[in-house]
């Protein structure tokens, strides 16, 4: 259902203000966004907002924009935790630890990872990865965005694995040399 016209106008104003990030200093930008948030809240409210509510909304908006809000920090940490876990996720290990029946049987040498597998194995990996990532994102409180986050996580994992394949030896050598020199 559509929002009333006056609320929709305040919503559009907030989006317009947020799009002007580069046009102002950080403090001015935060003040403008906070004002637009308060205006939107006032348009949505059934009664006028109290001074305390306006002050709280303004301070929480600025804290959120700076990444200082405790809820945003918690969600940020949870999301990073899922991404870190999924980058090193391995379907063979996951199946062994959860006692699942393998999706497919194959013989011969197994090549682990996202890059370099044949198309059939890659599809199986993709399916398993997305399923596991969605489960993890849902478990961490991101159920509404779990599908999109899972796709993004898969893409990030592919990029990281490709980087490791192409440049891993260089980075690992430098890390070992740096560790030995300390």
């Amino acid at each position: 259902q559509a929002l009333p016209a006056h609320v929709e106008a305040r919503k559009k104003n907030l989006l317009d203000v947020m799009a002007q990030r580069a046009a102002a200093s950080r403090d001015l930008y935060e003040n403008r966004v906070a004002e637009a948030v308060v205006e939107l809240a006032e348009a949505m409210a059934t009664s006028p907002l109290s001074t305390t509510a306006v002050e709280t909304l303004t301070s929480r908006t600025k804290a959120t924009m700076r990444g200082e809000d405790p809820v945003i920090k918690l969600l940020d940490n949870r999301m990073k935790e899922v991404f870190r876990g999924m980058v090193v996720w391995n379907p063979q290990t996951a199946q062994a630890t959860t006692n699942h029946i393998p999706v497919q049987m194959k013989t011969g040498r197994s090549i682990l990872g996202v890059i370099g597998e044949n198309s059939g194995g890659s599809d199986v990996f993709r399916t398993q990865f997305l399923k596991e990532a969605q489960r993890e994102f849902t478990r961490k409180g991101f159920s509404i965005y779990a599908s999109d986050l899972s796709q993004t996580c898969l893409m990030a994992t592919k990029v990281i694995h490709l980087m490791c394949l192409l440049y891993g030896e260089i980075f690992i050598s430098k890390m070992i040399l740096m560790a030995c020199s300390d």
Side-chain angles (χ1 to χ4, degrees):
Q1 85 192 27
L3 295 171
H6 70 287
V7 174
E8 196 64 50
R10 295 290 111 216
K11 178 181 156 189
K12 183 183 180 319
N13 179 55
L14 174 59
L15 294 174
D16 291 343
V17 169
M18 290 178 71
Q20 298 171 7
R21 182 178 190 153
S25 70
R26 178 178 166 175
D27 290 336
L28 182 59
Y29 176 71
E30 287 175 359
N31 288 335
R32 287 179 180 168
V33 171
E35 288 173 17
V37 167
V38 169
E39 290 173 1
L40 177 60
E42 287 173 338
M44 294 175 72
T46 55
S47 61
L49 297 177
S50 68
T51 306
T52 306
V54 170
E55 289 172 1
T56 301
L57 195 52
T58 300
S59 68
R60 290 295 85 212
T61 299
K62 290 179 180 181
T64 299
M65 292 173 66
R66 292 183 187 136
E68 298 168 355
D69 184 72
V71 174
I72 294 297
K73 284 182 178 180
L74 174 69
L75 293 174
D76 185 53
N77 289 337
R78 285 180 178 180
M79 189 171 303
K80 286 177 182 176
E81 184 181 317
V82 174
F83 270 82
R84 276 193 291 277
M86 292 307 299
V87 165
V88 296
W89 181 79
N90 180 337
Q92 284 82 9
T93 307
Q95 285 180 351
T97 58
T98 57
N99 296 323
H100 286 298
I101 298 171
V103 176
Q104 80 182 89
M105 292 182 62
K106 58 183 181 179
T107 60
R109 194 170 140 210
S110 175
I111 301 173
L112 300 177
V114 179
I115 310 296
E117 291 188 16
N118 63 23
S119 61
S122 182
D123 288 343
V124 170
F125 177 87
R126 175 181 165 67
T127 302
Q128 291 175 339
F129 183 96
L130 290 174
K131 182 179 178 182
E132 179 64 18
Q134 275 192 312
R135 190 181 69 74
E136 283 299 309
F137 281 117
T138 300
R139 195 171 64 81
K140 294 290 185 177
F142 299 103
S143 58
I144 294 173
Y145 305 105
S147 179
D148 293 334
L149 287 170
S150 298
Q151 293 287 341
T152 303
C153 192
L154 177 62
M155 183 61 66
T157 300
K158 286 181 175 184
V159 169
I160 290 168
H161 283 221
L162 180 60
M163 192 278 308
C164 288
L165 283 171
L166 296 175
Y167 305 108
E169 193 172 312
I170 297 167
F171 289 116
I172 291 172
S173 298
K174 284 183 181 179
M175 289 171 43
I176 291 171
L177 289 174
M178 287 176 17
C180 291
S181 65
D182 289 342

